[in-house]
Amino acid sequence: MVKPNADIRLSTLIHKYDLHTVLISKVIYGIETLDLSLLGNDADKIPLLIGSQVKLRFEVANLLGVDEVQNPDTIFRFNKGVQFNRGYPSIESVNLEWKKISAILRAEILELDNEDLFTYSEDDPEMKGTFFDLLSGIIEREVTIISILNTLLI
């Protein structure tokens, strides 16, 4: 539950976060039943898209002090492109990772106060904007991922 004194934007963000958590999980579940080899080269794009989004949630959780690592971490590190014939993890295992980190990250986000969310960090040259900006960007990326996955599966 969002803290009573939290900014209304956090409440909106959490609603989107929860919706995307469910939607991506449902899309992943739908993918599990398909023969991905029928997609040819596009078959490797699906685990890459899903796995990279899971990786983003792990990275944000790590920024908040959570000591969790995606399994396997090395495949999705450094935002690599499609690695054909790489041997991506099963869609089922990616879904388990998605559910695991989503619950952990949600709890961490709800612990943030307005100062944590909306203070611009000048200490970290990698961080351009506020933590809220980062979370918003990731959630917007999830909309794109959901759309792409649905397009590939039609």
Side-chain angles (χ1 to χ4, degrees):
M1 178 136 199
V2 177
K3 293 178 184 177
N5 61 343
D7 190 287
I8 187 70
R9 292 173 288 180
L10 178 60
S11 180
T12 303
L13 189 86
I14 285 294
H15 287 304
K16 288 180 181 180
Y17 181 93
D18 291 344
L19 176 65
H20 294 177
T21 299
V22 170
L23 284 175
I24 288 180
S25 191
K26 286 185 178 204
V27 169
I28 293 170
Y29 178 76
I31 292 168
E32 289 175 358
T33 63
L34 299 175
D35 179 4
L36 294 181
S37 66
L38 297 175
L39 296 174
N41 284 340
D42 286 341
D44 286 333
K45 292 178 184 174
I46 292 172
L48 172 70
L49 289 170
I50 298 168
S52 65
Q53 194 60 42
V54 174
K55 176 71 175 156
L56 272 177
R57 284 199 175 183
F58 271 96
E59 288 177 353
V60 173
N62 294 156
L63 285 173
L64 293 173
V66 173
D67 189 25
E68 295 282 341
V69 179
Q70 182 180 11
N71 184 22
D73 178 56
T74 56
I75 293 175
F76 303 107
R77 194 179 298 159
F78 308 122
N79 297 315
K80 299 173 193 164
V82 176
Q83 302 168 63
F84 295 104
N85 303 315
R86 171 65 165 98
Y88 287 97
S90 72
I91 298 296
E92 182 180 339
S93 68
V94 172
N95 200 13
L96 290 173
E97 293 277 301
W98 174 255
K99 290 177 181 178
K100 171 185 160 186
I101 197 57
S102 294
I104 293 169
L105 179 56
R106 185 183 195 280
E108 291 295 321
I109 291 170
L110 290 175
E111 290 298 316
L112 298 173
D113 60 24
N114 289 340
E115 185 177 339
D116 295 330
L117 283 167
F118 299 108
T119 301
Y120 184 80
S121 172
E122 294 182 17
D123 297 335
D124 186 355
E126 297 293 316
M127 184 96 164
K128 306 285 189 226
T130 66
F131 199 75
F132 182 84
D133 295 335
L134 174 68
L135 292 173
S136 297
I138 289 170
I139 287 174
E140 290 306 313
R141 183 181 189 270
E142 290 172 358
V143 172
T144 304
I145 298 294
I146 292 166
S147 300
I148 291 169
L149 290 172
N150 283 322
T151 302
L152 284 172
L153 299 174
I154 292 179

